[in-house]
């Protein structure tokens, strides 16, 4: 097994030189020590309540399991159905924010469980799960696409295939959190293209973290239909845009979370 092959050993001379300069520790050992030191200095904390030594505690998971959407979301063309697991408030909002801006990819697991529970309650027939793609620029900044992590969790729990390359962003868009509803639609229109090789003749579930005005979901739906998808549904962790959160709150929250 090639991955188990020992790394090329250093010559005695190199080892002596490294020992002399305190560089004898291997890179992986150094990484482990650094990560242990970081964990000691900054232990993980629950994103919901601050409890130490966990990214998300059982009590917070229990609390979000009880949270619901206050009113159904009317699906926008061309989606057949859209829902979110809860309003964008309280503990679940904390979890979404930490996943999105706090560099805590671990939160995709509990949120993926919440998404799966919600999906089981729909009468949707799904062939494939597809995450909303992230800008390449933002992907580089964040290191991961939170929608993809969520989609992969749901796919694994539900036993449905997930295809992260089914949708592509074909142009950069302005950050959706800083602009109004009408501007959002214009901003996101034609931003996506779908790969017919993956989606043609299939019923697709698009997964994202937050549902705001629905313009991102609609744009994904149009791209998927153009590539031959038969039906498109949308599912997000929270819904922020309809009725409870207006633009200023979203912008405030965005700046707060970036601070
Ligand atoms: Zn907690």
């Amino acid at each position: 097994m090639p991955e188990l092959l020992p790394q090329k050993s250093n010559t005695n001379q190199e080892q002596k030189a490294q020992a002399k300069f305190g560089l004898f520790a291997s890179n992986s050992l150094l990484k482990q020590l650094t990560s242990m030191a970081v964990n000691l200095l900054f232990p993980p904390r629950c994103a919901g309540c601050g409890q130490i030594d966990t990214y998300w505690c059982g009590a917070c998971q229990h609390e979000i399991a009880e949270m619901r959407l206050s009113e159904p979301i009317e699906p926008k063309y061309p989606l057949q159905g859209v829902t979110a697991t809860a309003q964008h408030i309280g503990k679940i909002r904390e979890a979404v924010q930490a996943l999105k801006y706090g560099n805590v990819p671990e939160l995709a697991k509990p949120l993926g469980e919440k998404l799966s529970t919600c999906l089981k309650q729909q009468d949707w027939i799904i062939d494939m799960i597809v995450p909303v793609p992230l800008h390449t620029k933002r992907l580089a900044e964040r290191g991961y696409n939170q929608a993809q992590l969520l989609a992969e969790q749901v796919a694994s729990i539900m036993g449905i295939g997930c295809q992260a390359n089914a949708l592509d962003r074909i142009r950069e868009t302005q950050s959706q959190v800083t602009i109004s509803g009408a501007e959002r639609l214009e901003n996101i229109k034609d931003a996506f293209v779908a790969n017919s090789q993956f989606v043609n003749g299939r019923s697709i579930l698009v997964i994202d973290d937050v549902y705001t005005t629905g313009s991102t979901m609609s744009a994904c739906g149009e791209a998927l239909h153009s590539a031959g998808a038969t039906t498109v549904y949308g599912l997000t962790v929270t819904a922020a845009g309809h009725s409870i959160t207006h633009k200023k709150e979203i912008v405030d929250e965005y700046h707060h979370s970036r601070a």
Side-chain angles (χ1 to χ4, degrees):
M1 291 163 76
E3 65 268 31
L4 293 180
L5 284 175
Q7 287 186 336
K8 192 182 164 220
S9 53
N10 293 332
T11 64
N12 277 343
Q13 212 167 3
E14 278 170 339
Q15 285 177 0
K16 273 180 203 159
Q18 285 178 334
K20 190 175 167 188
F21 293 104
L23 296 171
F24 189 68
S26 72
N27 273 345
S28 72
L29 181 60
L30 256 175
K31 272 185 195 155
Q32 275 181 37
L33 286 172
T34 311
S35 135
M36 278 165 68
V38 167
N39 273 340
L40 270 175
L41 288 169
F42 308 101
R45 277 176 178 273
C46 172
C49 67
Q51 185 186 310
I52 289 179
D53 281 340
T54 179
Y55 290 104
W56 191 248
C57 77
C60 286
Q61 182 65 2
H62 185 73
E63 196 174 321
I64 69 162
E66 303 297 315
M67 294 178 79
R68 297 280 178 275
L69 198 60
S70 63
E71 54 183 296
I73 303 173
E74 193 62 42
K76 282 186 181 172
Y77 176 84
L79 281 101
Q80 291 285 304
V82 180
T83 195
T85 77
Q87 296 299 124
H88 193 60
I89 51 172
K91 291 279 167 76
I92 199 157
R93 183 184 67 177
E94 298 301 319
V96 168
Q97 295 287 89
L99 171 67
K100 198 166 181 172
Y101 303 118
N103 193 28
V104 193
E106 290 81 0
L107 287 168
K109 193 167 187 289
L111 295 176
E113 285 169 19
K114 173 81 172 152
L115 283 166
S116 303
T117 306
C118 180
L119 180 57
K120 285 174 194 164
Q121 290 159 359
Q122 315 303 318
D123 56 357
W124 302 343
I125 295 174
I126 310 289
D127 298 321
M128 180 184 285
I129 297 178
V130 171
V132 171
L134 199 64
H135 299 182
T136 40
K137 199 175 124 198
R138 210 156 297 153
L139 184 61
E141 283 168 9
R142 196 169 297 163
Y144 58 87
N145 173 4
Q146 72 280 1
Q148 185 179 340
L149 299 187
L150 292 167
E152 284 167 356
Q153 285 294 329
V154 176
S156 125
I157 293 169
M158 304 294 290
I160 304 172
C162 175
Q163 184 48 261
N165 300 319
L167 273 174
D168 243 336
R169 256 184 214 260
I170 48 173
R171 64 180 174 82
E172 298 289 297
T173 48
Q174 208 184 329
S175 174
Q176 288 283 90
V177 291
T178 55
I179 52 177
S180 74
E183 286 169 330
R184 276 174 190 236
L185 194 61
E186 201 43 51
N187 181 41
I188 204 86
K189 217 173 135 252
D190 305 324
F192 302 98
V193 68
N195 187 334
S196 61
Q197 186 196 328
F198 297 127
V199 305
N200 188 32
R202 292 188 147 151
S203 170
I204 308 291
L205 173 67
V206 180
I207 288 196
D208 204 359
D209 48 7
V210 186
Y211 186 92
T212 333
T213 62
S215 50
T216 300
M217 276 292 177
S218 280
C220 289
E222 285 190 29
L224 288 162
H225 272 295
S226 299
T230 53
T231 320
V232 182
Y233 299 98
L235 174 64
T236 64
V237 181
T238 60
H242 72 307
S243 76
I244 60 140
T245 312
H246 56 72
K247 186 187 158 197
K248 187 177 178 303
E249 282 172 339
I250 301 172
V251 174
D252 286 350
E253 205 176 277
Y254 175 75
H255 289 307
H256 174 71
S257 63
R258 301 288 281 189

